[in-house]
Amino acid sequence: MMYLCHEENYARLPTIVRPSHYDISLNFNFSKMEFEGDVTICIEVLQRTKDIQLHSSELDIENIKLVQANSGITIEPEKTEFSKKNQILKLLFANPVTMGNYRLKIKYDGVISEEERGVFCTRSYEPKGEEKISVFTHFDPSCARKCFPCWDEPSFKAAFKINLTVPKEYSAFSNTQVEQIEKFAKTKRVNFARTPAMSTYLLAFAIGEFSSIETKTVDGVTVRINTAKGKEEQGRFALDTAVNALTFFKKYFKTEYALPKLDLIAVANYNSDATENWGLLVFREINLLINPSTSTNLTKRWISLLVCHEVAHQWFGNLVTMEWWTQLWFQEAFAQFAENMCVDYYFPNFRIWQHFVLEFLHSALELDGSKDSHAVEVAIKDPKELDQVYDGISYNKGAALIRMLENYVGEENFRKGVWVYLTTHAYKNASPEDFYGALEEVSGKPVGNVMSSWTNQPGYPVVRAFLAPGCECKLNQDGITIKLVQCRFFSAKGKPESEMALWKIPISLISGNDPSKEINFVMESREIKIFIPGAKVDDWIKLNPESVGYYRVQYSPELLKKLIPAIKTRQLDVIDRIAVLDDLFHMVKNGYTSTVEILKILAAFDGETEFLVWSTIGRILNKLAILISNTSLEDEYNRFQKKLLEKVSTALGWEKSSEDSRFDHLLRKLVLGQMSWLEDENMINEARKRFEDSVASKEKLRDDVRVACYRSVVRAGGDKEFDALVKLYKTVDTHEERKSICYALSSAKDEKLLQKVLTFAISDEVRPDDTVLIVMAITSTKTGRDMLWDYYRNHWRDIVDKVNNREVLTRIIQDITEKYASEPMAMELETFFNKQLPCNESTFQKALETLRNNASWLERDSEEIQQFLSPY
């Protein structure tokens, strides 16, 4: 067969030929790391054509036949052409293929990759050293073509029937249930049921030696956790969560789960957190399994969110799928929003929406303030662009926008709109605009018009609130008037007023006169005056209660001052106290107001008892600590922190109490962990005593004091403490304990000891995931940061080889870069990485921007900071 190769720009497949069904048979040879494939594709030719185009990659095509469905006449292509760049196989025929139905039959050979793309393997070893190979698939976004020739774009939905010939001792899983197993001497053929119509990237299979636990939902859906032998019970929590998620989403969406089973598989060496293949979810092992006796609520919360996220995709992404990768943000954003709904329903004690604000909303705002930010929806031409474009802005901002949208249309209308969307487009492709249309239909509000102002432009607004002369804010018999001004927020001091961006902002506000009464409106202009009925001129005013809106608020000094008593008396709830603090910190950080203002308002929180508020305080204290580590004011700042932490650390103590609240465990862990940085003599003595007692008795330290003890003894100690912790690292059996040790080792003060820590981190004694933890944590101190940067420059290939993951390398380089605060350092980093950049370039550029902003911050405020801290 003639086989030509062409190179050209990436191109989409023509739509004049559409597949409806694939029948795929794969025969695996693990000793040669290859497979034989045979696929029959039912297609419909919608227009006469002399060529048929489909995708193929790294497949050795042996034979191609086109069979007319009605007549059975076989037509062989005259020749084939292949574009390596676009991975398009073009079949050219001597005579035009007429309209109608055909079967395209292709025989081919493929390879089992060592990389996590297409069909790939993972390796593990038995106690006696015997190697075990497991095989999985990762087709997202465009790697199904590495397994079989296909129309590998989301809009070409089709049904699939897959048959796998595997070693007889292996189990095999796919999207659907097993229909039949044919046994042979050394192998078996596993035949799976036909799938619903779906996109190629959602097809999946897994082959290996697994052990399972399973149960059924009340509707009879079989749910199964598949793990390495001996770890089955560690999947019990995830199993229960998956069952609950199926039940919740069936009720919420008012739509049945489309398959009779759902498999979840734990893979030890899996780079992705998880994948949402229809009916076959694959997870990194640490994201699915827990130790029931030692795992914390934080771990359970993370696993429950991840499981619920992938289950939500079974409807939103799998049942209804994006038309093209440009819209990927939408189904990911919805799944992130939906995972929180589900977890909140079953685990109200997790207080999930409060965590959502901290972990999704605030992280999105942090990224999105950059002048180089991008819109949520970015045109994707080539799926390879996804790694560069889709980040925390697309996913976390998207989820925050979905939450704001639900609040704007109302919970009941939102739920009705979701049902209309799913039922209208089931087993089809759809766009965000289709979703907005469904919401408009049920709510009567201009959803599309409002949302386009958020998804089609980068950044977000800061809403400035004034109560000052010239703003017509005066005492009335029945209320007051305030003035609001919107402009784009930038994560560097500038003149946002010159930015022409404008948003349609769903605004909500409450006042001290009646906090239960919320005022809602859409702000469409640059400035607006709002009358607040019943409010008095001395009442506090809080915009964006519960942080449901995707914007920051800058209060005038007068309005900010009125909020302080509401913070001290807890009249503002947890999220609103956090929002005041977080918004003010970002006004400070980016030059809208002085750093001293955030140092002053922190004093209002010295009696704070809520863990989530303290987690925000701790984050701000740490960010200020990193900034101040670039000055000579560290000792003064540490004394300031001690005074702020004194009341809460004394109240909590080291021992559990019968009066502890549900979150006091986490609060104690946070506060003592914060104190362990501050060279407090009493802290060091208590930590050393507890650590030595633990080593002598071989009893584990409690989770809430473990980090504080480990870090305190390392910072105050030397080689002896290092050796003790390394020995402990090699014996502990949970990820959480290893993390505690990693964080403690990386906080060492002495440069020689830090060098030992880094050498240990890069060694074969440390797991790759833990290497990353240690390396990134080392950057928290200036000594560690400088040493790591020096090591990286001279040994960067060692780090690259050890980590072997571009995404993780990006995080490491970002972490080093963002913690410096001088222009010479920015130039040094830029020069080095211009020559060799093993990471995401846009992320590195954002990190450089953060570094330069830090430099501007210090130049702007260092004198005032010194004056404020001088009494300490």
Side-chain angles (χ1 to χ4, degrees), residues 26 28-31 33-35 111-115 117-124 132-139 147 164-167 170-174 204-210 265 267 270 280 282:
L26 303 173
F28 291 89
N29 187 327
F30 289 172
S31 63
M33 296 299 287
E34 62 187 26
F35 59 89
V111 295
I112 301 172
S113 175
E114 298 284 348
E115 297 180 3
R117 290 289 184 268
V119 182
F120 71 97
C121 72
T122 64
R123 302 173 187 274
S124 59
K132 293 290 185 181
I133 293 177
S134 300
V135 170
F136 302 91
T137 56
H138 191 129
F139 292 163
C147 180
L164 306 176
T165 299
V166 302
Y170 277 20
S171 301
F173 303 90
S174 188
F205 57 79
I207 304 164
E209 296 188 53
F210 300 103
I265 295 185
V267 184
Y270 194 56
L280 181 62
V282 182

Side-chain angles (χ1 to χ4, degrees), residues 211-467:
S211 187
S212 305
I213 55 174
E214 67 176 63
T215 187
K216 288 183 181 293
T217 68
V218 292
D219 301 320
V221 176
T222 299
V223 184
R224 187 165 43 203
I225 301 289
N226 307 283
T227 72
K229 291 180 179 179
K231 296 185 177 181
E232 304 90 340
E233 285 304 317
Q234 294 181 35
R236 183 69 61 183
F237 175 77
L239 179 67
D240 294 339
T241 302
V243 169
N244 287 338
L246 283 171
T247 303
F248 176 86
F249 288 124
K250 176 201 168 183
K251 182 178 180 181
Y252 185 89
F253 296 138
K254 294 198 295 185
T255 307
E256 296 283 344
Y257 173 62
L259 299 174
K261 67 94 179 177
L262 178 66
D263 276 293
L264 296 83
I265 295 185
V267 184
N269 302 311
Y270 194 56
N271 290 331
S272 303
D273 283 333
T275 52
E276 70 263 26
N277 320 303
W278 212 349
L280 181 62
L281 309 179
V282 182
F283 294 79
R284 188 185 305 157
E285 189 175 82
I286 61 172
N287 292 333
L288 196 67
L289 307 183
I290 65 170
N291 185 323
S293 61
T294 61
S295 291
T296 65
N297 273 350
L298 285 176
T299 301
K300 291 178 180 177
R301 179 168 62 85
W302 165 246
I303 288 176
S304 63
L305 284 170
L306 201 56
V307 169
C308 291
H309 180 101
E310 305 307 340
V311 174
H313 270 311
Q314 305 302 293
W315 284 266
F316 225 92
N318 298 3
L319 180 67
V320 180
T321 312
M322 64 200 166
E323 294 174 335
W324 180 244
W325 298 107
T326 295
Q327 299 141 357
L328 175 64
W329 76 269
F330 174 62
Q331 60 190 46
E332 288 297 337
F334 190 94
Q336 288 197 193
F337 170 76
E339 75 187 50
N340 284 273
M341 282 197 304
C342 185
V343 172
D344 184 55
Y345 181 82
Y346 286 106
F347 302 100
N349 61 309
F350 285 176
R351 298 198 289 187
I352 207 69
W353 288 114
Q354 295 177 356
H355 285 281
F356 178 93
V357 170
L358 291 173
E359 295 167 13
F360 290 85
L361 174 64
H362 286 176
S363 64
L365 293 171
E366 187 81 28
L367 287 170
D368 205 17
S370 166
K371 62 181 175 59
D372 296 321
S373 181
H374 60 80
V376 166
E377 183 160 310
V378 179
I380 298 294
K381 295 181 180 179
D382 186 334
K384 293 177 183 176
E385 298 170 357
L386 289 170
D387 288 341
Q388 290 287 331
V389 172
Y390 281 93
D391 53 18
I393 293 174
S394 302
Y395 286 57
N396 293 340
K397 178 178 179 178
L401 293 181
I402 297 295
R403 179 171 176 251
M404 182 173 72
L405 179 57
E406 184 204 36
N407 188 69
Y408 170 58
V409 300
E411 184 178 342
E412 189 58 34
N413 282 333
F414 184 83
R415 190 167 178 175
K416 288 178 181 176
V418 170
W419 176 79
V420 170
Y421 172 80
L422 288 176
T423 53
T424 303
H425 302 286
Y427 305 105
K428 300 174 187 174
N429 301 88
S431 68
E433 288 70 28
D434 293 319
F435 182 65
Y436 305 153
L439 291 179
E440 288 179 354
E441 179 183 328
V442 299
S443 72
K445 293 186 175 182
V447 174
N449 191 28
V450 169
M451 286 298 290
S452 64
S453 73
W454 294 93
T455 61
N456 295 336
Q457 62 180 339
Y460 61 91
V462 53
V463 176
R464 293 170 168 172
F466 298 93
L467 181 62

